Amino acid sequence: MGSRRVSDKVDKDHIRLFAKLFRGNKRSYGQFSPEDHKMWVDKGPYDRYHIAKHLQGEVGLGIVPVMDDGNCLWAAIDIDAHDEGKEINLLELERRIKEQDLPLTVCRSKSAGAHCYIFFVEPEKCSDVIRMLKSWAAVLGYAGSEVFPKQSELHAGEDGARPLGNWINLPYFGSDNTDRYAVEGGKRVSFEYFLNLADSNKVRLRDLEEKTHKDHPDAPPCFQKMLLGIPARGARNNAIYNAVLYYKKSDPDNIRDKVMEFNATSLAYPLDKEEVIKTIRSACRREYSYKCFEEPIASLCDRDVCVTRKYGISPADKSQILPRFDNLRKIDTNPPYWELDVDGKSVVCPTKTLLNWWLFRELVFEATLCPPPELKKKEWSIILDKLTDNLEVISPPADASTSGQLIEMLMEFLQRANMDGEDEDRKKLFRGVPIVTTVKPEHQDPQRYVVFRYRDFVAYLKKNRFEEYKGSKLYVVLKDCGIDNMRMKVGKTVITVWVMPVERFKERIEPMEHRLEY
């Protein structure tokens, strides 16, 4: 282990505390070379040796916050300094954070931006953390900033392999001799002070929510979550509309003042006063219901809890509320399929079904046993657009795709030919059987081919109830597989046949046989 020995240049207790603070996914980590400024990813676990090298200023370390169970122990808002030569004003940023009473620790980043870290007492669900940090970034004036973790989950593919998450560079590269330092009270702080500061700032999400929601214990869960901040511009009118309906129930004598306060404090991009007044008047004209199926409510809805709240929905309204949609995944087969969690249950469908609410609605009913409400095309498009913000792409093995299955069936069909014997009687083709024979194509040397008729393979597919590919689509897959067509004399008749060199067939079939043996 000689070269792996942890140096005495950094206190071992400090290494241990830093490692405990930034515990992350152990399947990969990022590295940074200060000499040539190159960055790369290494697979496998990092350890205290890598942390020591980072704190010594030798090789920078980046860690993936999201764990394989979808939880994290820390997170960060990554605020970039977009203008070349300019730095983020850390003191002003810290002032805003204190003003909003947010449990964030501000550090200068490698690129002269800022990493605003939050540390947790216990593992927290990444999807909740991501939503919260995006809202906080907007409230601080940096809407659209990257947040880490970037993924809410790292779903395993059919082969069991999980994707690697995105990593973020850690602070205090070079320990106290660094330009990646934390600030507290308007001053740069030492590495040791940072360790104590970060540890003392650890929080629980439920405590944050209780603190934020203490003045609205009987409100719908979606409204309580909106109080944490709404980062998007497009959902502002709906947010105000639902706030009006809540205050109509909870504080009818002060609707205007309460909604104006909500607009100013919870919306990253507040609406004009005239627009808010217009929405208040519209929502107060009649008895309307919450717009539970529209953003920002749709992504924050918890109907089972909402129905128990004094100012939530009624039991009769519950059937008119959409289920909760989470974790959209694209299964990257050909053609692709999509997987979406609906009230915690997985629903898989092709693209055509996902884009059509009336088709997808049937699958939702089958999964939840609760008929979802009707939606307009635009309303479903808005929900899908929101879900694609954290889209995960899963790459399954090639043979899991429809085209992969077709090629496997082709290989099975062609195995009926005698690959290692002498040339077969070409008349067997008329009985629907593939053969091996020597052919001399024009301007080429003679070569042994597996030969078959197109219609016989189509009949084989039909017999095995595999008819996803027909006509030109089947032609394209066969050509991509290295199969060509030619005219061949069989007896006294000239017919069109499809051919594949025997050697190429053996190259394709060998991995399949290996999988079967395994």
Side-chain angles (χ1 to χ4, degrees):
M1 291 291 289
S3 61
R4 295 273 298 172
R5 187 176 64 85
V6 174
S7 170
D8 294 330
K9 293 180 181 178
V10 182
D11 187 283
K12 288 184 173 56
D13 283 339
H14 288 173
I15 294 174
R16 177 180 58 81
L17 291 172
F18 195 77
K20 184 178 179 182
L21 199 61
F22 286 101
R23 280 181 289 175
N25 198 300
K26 287 295 188 80
R27 290 189 295 105
S28 67
Y29 56 94
Q31 296 273 260
F32 165 74
S33 169
E35 295 180 359
D36 52 17
H37 297 277
K38 288 185 178 179
M39 293 187 288
W40 67 94
V41 176
D42 281 338
K43 294 182 180 180
Y46 65 90
D47 55 28
R48 293 187 185 181
Y49 168 79
H50 298 97
I51 292 173
K53 300 284 279 186
H54 174 87
L55 296 176
Q56 290 163 200
E58 296 178 22
V59 181
L61 178 63
I63 292 180
V64 178
V66 56
M67 302 290 198
D68 284 344
D69 61 1
N71 293 324
C72 62
L73 281 160
W74 59 279
I77 303 172
D78 183 5
I79 301 174
D80 285 330
H82 293 293
D83 296 330
E84 188 174 350
K86 291 188 177 181
E87 296 189 13
I88 294 294
N89 188 330
L90 300 182
L91 304 186
E92 172 61 20
L93 177 58
E94 187 200 12
R95 185 192 66 76
R96 294 184 199 176
I97 288 172
K98 298 291 185 185
E99 199 175 69
Q100 296 292 332
D101 195 24
L102 302 178
L104 295 171
T105 302
V106 181
C107 289
R108 185 182 186 277
S109 70
K110 179 174 67 67
S111 57
H115 289 170
C116 302
Y117 293 101
I118 182 170
F119 301 95
F120 303 115
V121 175
E122 57 199 25
E124 301 285 359
K125 192 175 179 181
C126 288
S127 57
D128 292 335
V129 173
I130 291 169
R131 177 184 56 79
M132 181 182 69
L133 290 189
K134 284 185 176 181
S135 296
W136 287 1
V139 168
L140 293 172
Y142 295 99
S145 293
E146 287 186 298
V147 300
F148 290 80
K150 279 194 173 184
Q151 296 86 7
S152 56
E153 291 190 48
L154 300 174
H155 291 281
E158 291 188 7
D159 60 353
R162 292 181 183 271
L164 304 179
N166 291 83
W167 53 274
I168 182 172
N169 284 303
L170 299 187
Y172 284 91
F173 177 60
S175 191
D176 279 325
N177 183 25
T178 183
D179 57 1
R180 299 191 214 170
Y181 52 83
V183 295
E184 170 70 5
K187 297 179 181 179
R188 171 176 177 165
V189 300
S190 69
F191 176 54
E192 185 174 6
Y193 187 95
F194 163 76
L195 292 174
N196 293 324
L197 175 67
D199 189 65
S200 63
N201 282 345
K202 286 183 178 179
V203 294
R204 292 181 176 87
L205 281 193
R206 65 174 181 270
D207 293 338
L208 290 178
E209 291 180 351
E210 288 174 6
K211 179 181 177 182
T212 307
H213 306 156
K214 64 182 179 181
D215 295 330
H216 304 275
D218 297 318
C222 60
F223 181 79
Q224 293 178 330
K225 292 174 182 177
M226 284 198 298
L227 291 173
L228 289 171
I230 301 170
R233 290 179 181 270
R236 294 179 296 172
N237 288 87
N238 282 340
I240 295 295
Y241 181 91
N242 285 280
V244 174
L245 298 187
Y246 165 67
Y247 285 118
K248 277 178 67 176
K249 295 180 179 184
S250 63
D251 197 353
D253 296 331
N254 298 292
I255 295 176
R256 176 168 170 164
D257 290 343
K258 292 293 185 181
V259 173
M260 286 295 184
E261 180 184 356
F262 173 80
N263 179 59
T265 59
S266 295
L267 271 64
Y269 305 98
L271 288 171
D272 294 337
K273 180 179 178 181
E274 292 75 14
E275 186 73 15
V276 177
I277 293 174
K278 180 181 176 181
T279 304
I280 292 174
R281 288 173 179 167
S282 174
C284 285
R285 284 176 189 159
R286 293 190 303 172
E287 288 299 317
Y288 290 107
S289 299
Y290 293 115
K291 293 188 176 182
C292 304
F293 53 84
E294 296 183 28
E295 293 298 343
I297 305 301
S299 296
L300 307 176
C301 181
D302 189 338
R303 56 183 176 174
D304 292 330
V305 173
C306 191
V307 75
T308 67
R309 297 285 173 83
K310 182 178 180 180
Y311 303 123
I313 60 172
S314 68
D317 291 330
K318 183 179 178 182
S319 63
Q320 296 303 310
I321 296 178
L322 285 173
R324 183 175 180 84
F325 299 113
D326 292 301
N327 303 322
L328 179 63
R329 284 94 71 189
K330 178 185 178 184
I331 304 172
D332 205 16
T333 54
N334 182 18
Y337 276 79
W338 302 83
E339 185 175 11
L340 181 62
D341 293 340
V342 182
D343 274 351
K345 297 178 175 63
S346 176
V347 174
V348 179
C349 67
T351 302
K352 180 180 180 180
T353 301
L354 181 69
L355 294 177
N356 188 321
W357 171 246
W358 290 100
L359 296 177
F360 191 73
R361 187 169 177 254
E362 296 180 11
L363 299 181
V364 173
F365 177 53
E366 292 172 0
T368 64
L369 302 181
C370 181
E374 298 178 359
L375 282 183
K376 295 178 182 177
K377 183 178 179 179
K378 183 178 179 181
E379 293 167 346
W380 179 233
S381 294
I382 291 172
I383 294 172
L384 281 180
D385 186 58
K386 182 75 174 178
L387 289 166
T388 56
D389 286 347
N390 294 304
L391 175 67
E392 181 181 351
V393 179
I394 299 173
S395 299
D399 57 355
S401 67
T402 306
S403 59
Q405 294 171 37
L406 174 66
I407 291 171
E408 294 233 352
M409 294 195 73
L410 173 65
M411 296 299 108
E412 291 174 5
F413 174 71
L414 297 183
Q415 283 188 86
R416 296 178 173 189
N418 182 9
M419 299 294 164
D420 299 315
E422 297 180 356
D423 284 6
E424 297 179 87
D425 183 359
R426 293 186 178 184
K427 291 183 180 180
K428 290 173 64 177
L429 290 169
F430 293 131
R431 301 200 299 271
V433 181
I435 65 167
V436 171
T437 188
T438 301
V439 179
K440 186 184 183 309
E442 190 176 357
H443 307 303
Q444 295 182 35
D445 294 332
Q447 189 173 353
R448 282 169 60 81
Y449 286 92
V450 190
V451 182
F452 66 98
R453 293 191 303 177
Y454 181 85
R455 67 181 184 183
D456 294 330
F457 179 55
V458 171
Y460 178 79
L461 293 177
K462 189 173 183 178
K463 180 181 178 181
N464 287 276
R465 299 181 180 180
F466 188 94
E467 298 183 77
E468 283 80 356
Y469 282 90
K470 298 179 180 179
S472 59
K473 289 180 67 176
L474 178 56
Y475 172 82
V476 169
V477 175
L478 291 177
K479 295 290 282 187
D480 288 344
C481 191
I483 293 179
D484 208 347
N485 60 290
M486 64 173 62
R487 302 281 288 172
M488 176 183 288
K489 189 173 182 179
V490 180
K492 296 182 179 181
T493 306
V494 177
I495 63 173
T496 299
V497 294
W498 290 73
V499 299
M500 183 182 202
V502 170
E503 292 304 316
R504 181 173 294 179
F505 171 81
K506 289 182 177 180
E507 288 174 2
R508 296 206 68 128
I509 200 67
E510 186 176 347
M512 293 173 54
E513 293 174 340
H514 175 73
R515 287 201 303 273
L516 291 172
E517 291 171 4
Y518 180 79

